[in-house]
Amino acid sequence: MTPLEHPADTAASESLVSVEDVNSFLATDFPGGSTNGCAELGHGWATAVLRPEADRLRPGGIISGPTVFGLCDAVLYYACFTVIGLEPMALTSEMSIRYLRPAFGAELWARADIVSVGRRNIVGNIVAWTESADRPVATCQGTYVRPR
């Protein structure tokens, strides 16, 4: 199994949204987010890509920590949609990140995998990388709160 494969990828369950649904929602409700978006998804997981502008780079061409964190948060949001449907008011409750190495590259990728779906909370794990998923630049865990 490669780092991008997950047992949920082959599950019989279908995602409640499509990549097009998520990206259309982002274009309508987050018009400033045109440099990033949902790349792939399935029930319980999502992958996103961000092509950072120059103002998101640190000296030396390193993608800034807040930019990495933001994409990790966003991809978990997209993964939540796969299990609860397109729910704009799902909100980040908690997120922690571990930076593993500098994020060099023109594209930043992240994949979120849902770990637990409860009545009020959705918990997921995220891995972010630039050149290769085999060399992650950060790992995260986060919780989203479902609206009442």
Side-chain angles (χ1 to χ4, degrees), residues 13-98:
S13 299
E14 294 290 323
S15 172
L16 298 180
V17 295
S18 69
V19 170
E20 294 77 21
D21 294 336
V22 173
N23 287 332
S24 176
F25 163 72
L26 295 174
T28 302
D29 292 312
F30 293 96
S34 61
T35 60
N36 63 307
C38 185
E40 294 179 283
L41 54 75
H43 184 78
W45 65 274
T47 302
V49 61
L50 180 135
R51 294 166 188 89
E53 302 291 331
D55 64 345
R56 301 216 177 195
L57 301 177
R58 293 175 48 100
I62 298 169
I63 300 168
S64 72
T67 301
V68 175
F69 186 92
L71 184 63
C72 290
D73 187 20
V75 75
L76 184 55
Y77 189 48
Y78 310 157
C80 288
F81 296 159
T82 72
V83 295
I84 64 170
L86 193 59
E87 177 48 69
M89 292 309 295
L91 302 172
T92 309
S93 169
E94 170 276 330
M95 185 160 287
S96 63
I97 189 167
R98 296 241 188 312

